[in-house]
Amino acid sequence: MILALGIGVVMSGVTIGLVYQPPIATVVQPDPRAFPVTLIQRGATLAMIGDCVVCHTAERGVPYAGGRPLATPFGTLYATNITPDQATGIGLWSFAAFRRAMREGISRDGSHLYPALPYEHFTHVTDGDLAALYAFLMTRRAIWAPAPRNELIFPLGFRPLLAGWNLLFLHQGPFVPNPGESAEWNRGAYLVEGLGHCGGCHTPRNLAGGEERDRAFAGGVAEGWNAPALDPSNRSPHRWTVQSLYTYLRTGIDAEHSAAAGPMGPVSHDLSSVPEADVRAIAVYVASLMRHGRDDDGGTGPVDLEKKAADAHPSGAALFAGACGGCHGQGSPMVSQGRPSLSLVSAIQEDDPRNMLQAILQGVLPTAGTPGPYMPAFSNSLNDGQIAEIAAYLRTRYSTRGPWPKLEAAAMAARREGAEQ
């Protein structure tokens, strides 16, 4: 009895220790002039690698002022304000408070943060890089912008529950370089596994929302789009190389693959301004993940089974000619300029039609005010049945893989997912 009581007391103490996190005192807001310009510039680069502005900026909102809705399987979270506003942002946060939030998912006031902030990746980021990121954020324009209230499934709004999530899925520790690899490979690994948090989208998640670490980079779902596998199971018809990955990440388009769409569009936009050496290091690391165990044969050649597809899907062929032929049909400007066959588009070759459907529904749109790959959205001009017909036609014409089942239902689900983002 005494032993059981003792164990209970110890377990209660452990539980309280996990749940309760003390607040970190506020500080006098640092003078922006106190931060060296070189440190701020380094932080700006790291913020682009981490894609911070995308999640922490509402549509047509002020950069970093938060408010963007983040749809999750557990409800909607709203990104917080990370400008140096004293009331609604991080203006009174010390670097110690910022570092704890980034590495442990604990806010300055001791409350638990939701892992939509990928702190399980940021735990690998060095103190020096976190200090640079802190300097960059603390020198932004302060904006008063309280975040809307989260809309989560009961009882997930009770933040102390996140202590259990951390216990299961937060694996703290610095990045450890691989001495058997080059400095460039290790730089890429550090960026991908840390601030880049690529596995946050490209790794499957379990029912609790934790990454399945034994299936790292096997593909995931992000904002209604499939984040393709970055391992040997990747379905791209052409093998990704360091150069093709570099080109895609840097420009948003690669001639032997496709254009960056959905959540990858802003990523490639940010990486266009990052030092070339960092983007190439990322490409080197990702290529090493994808190449392992694959034949180095350069992939398959173009496929165009136009007659077979037209016979199997006459309405899809007609819709394609009317809606898509101006850009993708024979003799169109894109084709005559040497653009690759649609059979090289990864989305057409995947097991799941989601990305193909989302591309038709949402289009491929560059970041506002910037150049980049463009395709108009057809969500307002084509119904789910018509979207499904086009997708079925594309799959049959430009792929030797089997047809996608239940495409109209999939198009309806894709439209709903797109509307929630």
Side-chain angles (χ1 to χ4, degrees), residues 323-343:
C324 316
C327 290
H328 296 289
Q330 294 297 326
S332 67
M334 286 184 65
V335 174
S336 63
Q337 289 170 9
R339 292 297 179 94
S341 165
L342 286 176
S343 66

Side-chain angles (χ1 to χ4, degrees), residues 332-356:
S332 67
M334 286 184 65
V335 174
S336 63
Q337 289 170 9
R339 292 297 179 94
S341 165
L342 286 176
S343 66
L344 300 182
V345 174
S346 300
I348 295 178
Q349 311 299 331
E350 292 176 356
D351 295 334
D352 187 336
R354 181 184 309 209
N355 283 5
M356 189 71 261

Side-chain angles (χ1 to χ4, degrees), residues 57-270:
T57 305
E59 186 175 0
R60 293 186 293 276
V62 178
Y64 302 104
R68 180 185 177 185
L70 304 170
T72 78
F74 313 105
T76 301
L77 294 166
Y78 289 89
T80 55
N81 180 355
I82 55 173
T83 73
D85 179 68
Q86 295 188 14
T88 64
I90 62 170
L92 301 180
W93 285 39
S94 65
F95 172 64
F98 179 77
R99 180 176 55 194
R100 182 174 73 169
M102 291 290 284
R103 287 200 182 137
E104 301 176 38
I106 307 296
S107 184
R108 186 206 62 77
D109 63 4
S111 60
H112 290 262
L113 300 172
Y114 288 94
L117 172 72
Y119 52 84
E120 72 271 31
H121 288 273
F122 298 159
T123 185
H124 306 309
V125 181
T126 65
D127 278 359
D129 279 352
L130 288 179
L133 191 58
Y134 176 75
F136 170 73
L137 293 174
M138 295 300 277
T139 52
R140 300 307 90 201
R141 182 163 62 96
I143 302 294
W144 187 89
R149 188 180 182 86
N150 294 325
E151 301 164 1
L152 295 171
I153 300 169
F154 179 83
L156 300 181
F158 185 60
R159 289 180 182 262
L161 292 175
L162 293 167
W165 193 96
N166 288 348
L167 183 64
L168 292 171
F169 304 119
L170 178 57
H171 305 277
Q172 296 191 56
F175 171 76
V176 179
N178 184 339
E181 297 288 351
S182 67
E184 185 176 46
W185 185 96
N186 277 297
R187 175 65 175 169
Y190 169 73
L191 294 175
V192 166
E193 303 286 354
L195 270 178
H197 64 281
C198 304
C201 291
H202 291 273
T203 295
R205 292 183 178 270
N206 56 34
L207 292 177
E211 291 180 25
E212 298 180 14
R213 296 173 66 85
D214 59 340
R215 300 178 62 205
F217 300 106
V221 177
E223 300 180 29
W225 294 71
N226 284 333
L230 302 182
D231 66 6
S233 67
N234 182 275
R235 280 290 183 184
S236 175
H238 268 236
R239 180 179 58 82
W240 285 95
T241 64
V242 171
Q243 184 57 45
S244 60
L245 281 165
Y246 172 82
T247 301
Y248 176 80
L249 293 171
R250 190 81 172 164
T251 68
I253 190 167
D254 176 71
E256 292 187 344
H257 296 89
S258 56
M264 270 305 296
V267 173
S268 65
H269 172 257
D270 278 356

